């Protein structure tokens, strides 16, 4: 391909040299470069102007200085762009003013914080500056979106690979921008999880919450209680064969997520949603009898045996092993829909389990029902209510927030990616109503939970429950196009929030998803370009 293009250029030059008679065919006018503000999530500040920069055969990616991490991010960018551009894009530590330049630390980067970046494009170079490698990585995601969508294809494409001139200065609104994948109701392989991680990172999501246990399956190997995975993980909704992650699998997910600047937040849901554990070990049951494995989709029927000491041996072992293989700060302990646990037992259970998480050096996140117990100082409540959640329940969460419990917002009728878009959506559930693309985008995390101080909001998370989902295609149809909207609520300043502007930026992502092989829902609310 490259050679053919060169030949074509030579012919053009020859034809031009022949002078007068034949006007050589003009190549079709190059499409205008993507405007610098046509990015999702919307950047905090954009100053367009000046000459554009075009990648070419000789473009180098410069990482002056000697940061191994910055070099890795540069290598990742080169790996993304080589197939479609056909360019070598060598990564070099040699200083220079041309090409794609990474600047880590140094003048003016202090204000960019742990995740921010500045991208300056013009003339001979595009420079991405950041205080930390995560900022470089997020800058790379912006750079990707400024290139034509065809840059995402894995075979050589026609350029030009032009980036408009100007400067983007960008830092996130919230430090916690999560996505949750339910690998319990249906099991997803390490490869499927990695594929989702890659998609999440394009929108600057920085937390991957894995829902590792539920009634239908236990998905993580625990050495001291081996049957949890080998038996408790042996099926899934509908009765398929299920599966689980070995410790090495889990570490590989963490390694891959961390290469994309996402931190894994593992969840063991307790004391409800525990049938898979109860089925694996009779001794965990109050009556000493193991129930059968469960492959349906009901909730609220299972509970750990709160009065029994053996329950806390189990909890201690599981949390100890999970904490030991999890570098991130958070362990999620569930706590939702414990309809088969009395209130007193629920409170007693949470009073005993939260200190175990602390003992192993982690901070607990619980679904917002934790605020009905005694959330320990620093532990986090994840709000998943919706428009029919009672005022009393909301007030309970808001009061906890006023008293210092930080909150992650995942309102089910906005942020749940498994809710159907409308009545015709073939996948998903609808207990929180239909969640259109506009509905999922059009809310403000800063003011959403009445009575909760804005400062209590750590950020947002988009959960994807998998009762009806069993393939990557299913995940992608539900996540796209809503996931980028939640990502934008987490990243972009409230001042950029505007559905009419957003839907145009979102529409421009469609060809990118086509190029990446993401089968998204072409919602009629979004002005997609014709295919
Ligand atoms: C939940 O949806 N039960 C957290």
């Amino acid at each position: 391909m490259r050679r053919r293009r060169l030949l074509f250029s030579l012919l053009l030059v020859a034809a031009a040299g022949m002078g007068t008679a034949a006007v050589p065919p003009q190549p079709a006018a190059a499409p205008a470069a993507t405007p610098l503000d046509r990015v999702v999530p919307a950047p905090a500040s954009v100053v367009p102007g000046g000459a554009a920069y075009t990648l070419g055969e000789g473009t180098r990616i410069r990482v002056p200085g000697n940061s191994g991490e910055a070099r890795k991010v540069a290598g990742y960018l080169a790996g993304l762009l080589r197939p479609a551009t056909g360019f070598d894009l060598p990564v070099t530590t040699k200083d220079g003013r041309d090409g794609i330049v990474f600047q880590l630390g140094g003048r003016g980067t202090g204000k960019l914080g742990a995740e921010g970046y500045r991208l300056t494009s013009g003339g001979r170079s595009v420079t991405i500056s950041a205080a930390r490698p995560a900022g470089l990585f997020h800058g790379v995601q912006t750079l990707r979106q400024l290139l034509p969508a065809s840059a995402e294809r894995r075979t050589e494409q026609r350029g030009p690979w032009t980036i408009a001139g100007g400067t983007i200065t960008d830092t996130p609104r919230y430090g916690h921008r999560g996505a949750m994948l339910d690998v319990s109701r249906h099991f997803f392989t390490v490869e499927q999880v990695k594929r989702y991680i890659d998609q999440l990172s394009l929108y600057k999501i920085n937390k991957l919450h894995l829902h590792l246990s539920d009634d239908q399956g236990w998905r993580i190997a625990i050495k001291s209680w081996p049957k949890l995975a080998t038996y408790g993980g042996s099926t899934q909704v509908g009765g398929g064969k299920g599966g689980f992650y070995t410790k090495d699998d889990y570490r590989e997910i963490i390694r891959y997520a961390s290469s994309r600047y996402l931190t894994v937040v593992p969840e063991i849901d307790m004391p409800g949603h525990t049938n898979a554990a109860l089925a694996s070990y009779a001794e965990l049951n109050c009556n000493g009898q193991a129930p059968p494995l469960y492959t349906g989709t009901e909730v609220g029927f299972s509970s750990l045996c709160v009065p029994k000491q053996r329950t806390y041996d189990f909890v201690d072992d599981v949390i100890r092993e999970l904490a030991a293989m999890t570098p991130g700060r958070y362990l999620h302990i569930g706590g939702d829909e414990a309809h088969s646990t009395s209130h007193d037992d629920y409170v007693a259970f949470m009073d005993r389990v939260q200190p175990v998480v602390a003992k192993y050096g982690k901070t607990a996140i619980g679904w917002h029902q934790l605020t009905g117990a005694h959330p320990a100082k620093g532990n986090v409540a994840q709000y998943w209510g919706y428009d029919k959640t009672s005022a009393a329940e909301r007030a309970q969460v808001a009061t906890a927030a006023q008293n210092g419990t930080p909150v992650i917002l995942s309102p089910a009728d906005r942020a749940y990616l498994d809710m159907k878009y409308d009545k015709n959506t073939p996948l998903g559930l609808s207990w929180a109503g239909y969640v259109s693309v506009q509905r999922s985008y059009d809310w403000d995390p800063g003011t959403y939970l009445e009575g909760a101080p804005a400062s209590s909001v750590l950020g947002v998370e988009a959960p994807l429950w998998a009762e009806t989902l069993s393939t990557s295609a299913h995940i992608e149809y539900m996540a796209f196009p809503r996931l980028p909207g939640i990502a934008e609520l987490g990243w972009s300043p409230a001042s950029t929030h505007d559905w009419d502007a957003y839907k145009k930026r979102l529409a421009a992502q469609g060809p990118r998803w086509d190029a990446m092989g993401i089968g998204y829902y072409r919602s009629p609310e979004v002005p997609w370009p014709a295919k």
Side-chain angles (χ1 to χ4, degrees):
M1 218 15 201
R2 210 183 306 165
R3 191 163 306 129
R4 210 163 355 109
R5 206 153 59 214
L6 184 62
L7 186 62
F8 179 65
S9 323
L10 287 174
L11 286 174
L12 278 184
V13 169
M18 284 178 350
T20 54
V23 177
Q26 295 295 308
T34 301
L36 291 189
D37 57 3
R38 181 98 41 93
V39 172
V40 179
S45 154
V46 176
V47 181
Y53 172 70
T54 301
L55 275 74
E57 290 277 356
T59 297
R60 288 160 185 271
I61 305 183
R62 297 187 183 278
V63 190
N66 211 12
S67 157
E69 266 209 80
R71 268 207 313 256
K72 269 193 217 156
V73 178
Y76 159 85
L77 173 62
L80 282 174
L81 298 183
R82 277 178 193 135
T85 61
F87 302 153
D88 291 340
L89 301 171
V91 174
T92 173
T93 52
K94 285 208 193 75
D95 221 337
R97 295 183 157 272
D98 63 307
I100 299 173
V101 182
F102 280 25
Q103 278 180 349
L104 186 60
R107 218 157 42 87
T109 59
K111 287 196 290 285
L112 298 170
E115 294 194 288
Y117 66 93
R118 182 178 311 107
L119 184 150
T120 307
S121 167
R124 296 170 61 201
S125 65
V126 176
T127 300
I128 302 176
S129 315
R132 306 282 310 136
L136 293 179
F137 185 82
H138 296 319
V140 161
Q141 303 310 325
T142 294
L143 176 64
R144 267 173 101 172
Q145 292 190 28
L146 296 175
L147 287 165
S150 55
E152 301 293 343
R153 295 200 183 270
R154 301 293 87 185
T155 55
E156 197 171 326
Q157 308 291 314
R158 196 187 253 280
W161 308 108
T162 300
I163 295 158
T167 298
I168 295 176
T169 308
D170 202 9
T171 54
R173 180 177 183 190
Y174 295 111
H176 199 107
R177 306 179 305 280
M180 189 209 80
L181 185 62
D182 169 13
V183 297
S184 178
R185 271 53 176 274
H186 283 96
F187 181 64
F188 293 95
T189 64
V190 173
E191 287 312 307
Q192 288 172 314
V193 175
K194 286 182 177 178
R195 183 175 163 88
Y196 198 40
I197 288 171
D198 278 330
Q199 294 163 1
L200 298 174
S201 65
L202 178 54
Y203 297 101
K204 303 184 174 79
I205 294 285
N206 68 354
K207 301 282 185 294
L208 175 66
H209 168 185
L210 288 176
H211 184 75
L212 289 170
S213 72
D214 212 302
D215 292 318
Q216 297 85 346
W218 184 285
R219 306 299 181 202
I220 180 75
I222 299 293
K223 194 152 175 255
S224 51
W225 296 72
K227 285 197 304 190
L228 290 171
T230 57
Y231 182 70
S234 65
T235 193
Q236 59 186 4
V237 166
K241 73 178 172 39
F244 65 88
Y245 305 123
T246 65
K247 292 200 176 199
D248 281 347
D249 289 339
Y250 180 69
R251 288 195 188 97
E252 174 60 13
I253 291 173
I254 287 174
R255 184 202 64 77
Y256 195 81
S258 125
S259 77
R260 305 297 186 254
Y261 293 87
L262 279 95
T263 303
V264 170
V265 178
E267 177 185 357
I268 300 296
D269 201 346
M270 304 180 279
H273 290 279
T274 42
N275 189 76
L278 297 169
S280 304
Y281 286 97
E283 68 209 84
L284 292 177
N285 295 269
C286 281
N287 66 3
Q289 288 182 9
L293 292 169
Y294 181 68
T295 60
T297 59
E298 296 298 315
V299 299
F301 60 88
S302 58
S303 178
L304 291 173
C305 186
V306 171
K308 215 174 188 175
Q309 174 52 37
R310 198 70 185 127
T311 296
Y312 303 95
D313 299 342
F314 161 82
V315 168
D316 195 286
D317 286 337
V318 168
I319 300 236
R320 173 174 45 76
E321 291 194 34
L322 194 58
M325 52 183 163
T326 302
R329 164 179 178 192
Y330 294 116
L331 295 191
H332 202 305
I333 56 173
D336 58 322
E337 295 175 313
H339 304 319
S340 299
T341 317
S342 71
H343 177 71
D344 287 353
D345 274 1
Y346 182 85
V347 174
F349 180 81
M350 287 303 180
D351 280 350
R352 281 192 74 169
V353 168
Q354 292 179 90
V356 179
V357 176
K359 178 171 80 168
Y360 292 113
K362 301 295 181 188
T363 300
I365 304 177
W367 296 107
H368 73 252
Q369 283 73 19
L370 179 62
T371 59
H374 307 115
K377 189 168 162 41
N379 284 352
V380 177
Q382 182 167 4
Y383 181 75
W384 62 282
Y386 63 119
D387 54 2
K388 300 203 173 51
T389 297
S390 71
E393 189 168 335
R394 286 167 189 261
Q396 175 187 289
V397 183
T399 301
Q402 286 159 15
N403 292 332
T405 298
V407 177
I408 295 166
L409 293 171
S410 301
D413 56 345
R414 306 281 185 169
Y416 269 32
L417 301 176
D418 60 305
M419 290 299 119
K420 290 175 183 288
Y421 295 97
D422 63 27
K423 68 181 187 334
N424 297 318
T425 308
L427 300 164
L429 305 175
S430 56
W431 58 262
Y434 300 128
V435 179
S436 68
V437 180
Q438 179 170 1
R439 183 165 179 79
S440 74
Y441 170 80
D442 240 347
W443 58 285
D444 177 7
T447 57
Y448 183 78
L449 193 58
E450 201 180 325
S455 61
S456 68
V457 177
L458 290 185
V460 294
E461 179 184 291
L464 185 50
W465 299 97
E467 286 94 335
T468 67
L469 314 176
S470 59
T471 66
S472 286
H474 292 165
I475 291 176
E476 289 154 28
Y477 186 79
M478 300 309 279
F480 294 91
R482 289 179 295 195
L483 171 86
I486 303 299
E488 174 148 324
L489 291 175
W491 180 280
S492 306
S495 60
T496 63
H497 189 92
D498 175 42
W499 165 251
D500 287 324
Y502 173 68
K503 72 181 179 191
K504 296 191 187 98
R505 281 184 290 113
L506 184 61
Q509 302 294 306
R512 192 161 300 276
W513 299 334
D514 290 330
M516 296 171 79
I518 295 175
Y520 59 100
Y521 168 56
R522 281 176 74 85
S523 164
E525 305 164 88
V526 181
W528 308 107
K531 282 217 199 195

